[in-house]
Amino acid sequence: MAPPDNLRIGSLLPSATAICVSLGLEEYIVGVTHECTALSSDDNKQNKVHVLTKDGLNVTSQGDIHKIISSTPAPSCTLPGKEIPSFYPLLEDQMELAKPNVIFTQDLCAVCAPTATDVQKIVKDEKSEVSIVSLQPTTLQEVADSFVTVAKACGIEERGIAYRKKWWSDLEQLKSTILKTRIDKSSKQ
């Protein structure tokens, strides 16, 4: 099954972008974060992928991150008449240019990426319908299920189910290889 022709994906999580690429959806990606590395620069030029966030931290080390988060309120994305606190402010002008109709984000950590609430504040005034999908995996099972969640939101649920099955199979193979290596090492001692 193919995704709808009008599918336009905005991914505010590098991991969601990687899932979309793994599901064969790269041509539908119209916006990513400033940290996204899942698309090559050629893909960005060819597909006109917009960068939808900016770095609100400007740090060089984990210590710097801790100091900033501990001591200052979050920078904000300023829109006419509204303030949206975020360490990864959304770029409203780029969001308008990208015109995503499916946006992947998260609600686990306001420091790590824009939350669904941040996104809703920007897209609620849009005339077109935008589906905001919040990925919140905290277990391996939920990570695997997020493949199906992304695929379903993009109209290709079967691909997500197949990818989840392959991912579990690959994980089991990795576990088996590690176990075999441990057994081989211990038998040589």
Side-chain angles (χ1 to χ4, degrees), residues 78-92:
T78 305
L79 304 174
K82 352 177 182 178
E83 292 256 332
I84 301 172
S86 178
F87 285 104
Y88 292 99
L90 292 164
L91 301 173
E92 181 185 21

Side-chain angles (χ1 to χ4, degrees), residues 21-65:
V21 169
S22 296
L23 293 170
L25 295 168
E26 55 269 68
E27 71 183 88
Y28 300 96
I29 298 172
V30 296
V32 295
T33 73
H34 65 284
E35 292 184 324
C36 182
T37 59
L39 299 174
S40 71
S41 55
D42 287 342
D43 289 333
N44 285 339
K45 290 175 190 168
Q46 181 181 355
N47 294 331
K48 298 181 178 127
V49 177
H50 299 271
V51 176
L52 304 176
T53 63
K54 67 180 181 179
D55 185 354
L57 292 176
N58 299 315
V59 296
T60 58
S61 73
Q62 289 181 343
D64 290 344
I65 293 170

Side-chain angles (χ1 to χ4, degrees), residues 66-80:
H66 177 73
K67 286 177 195 172
I68 288 174
I69 291 170
S70 299
S71 64
T72 58
S76 64
C77 175
T78 305
L79 304 174

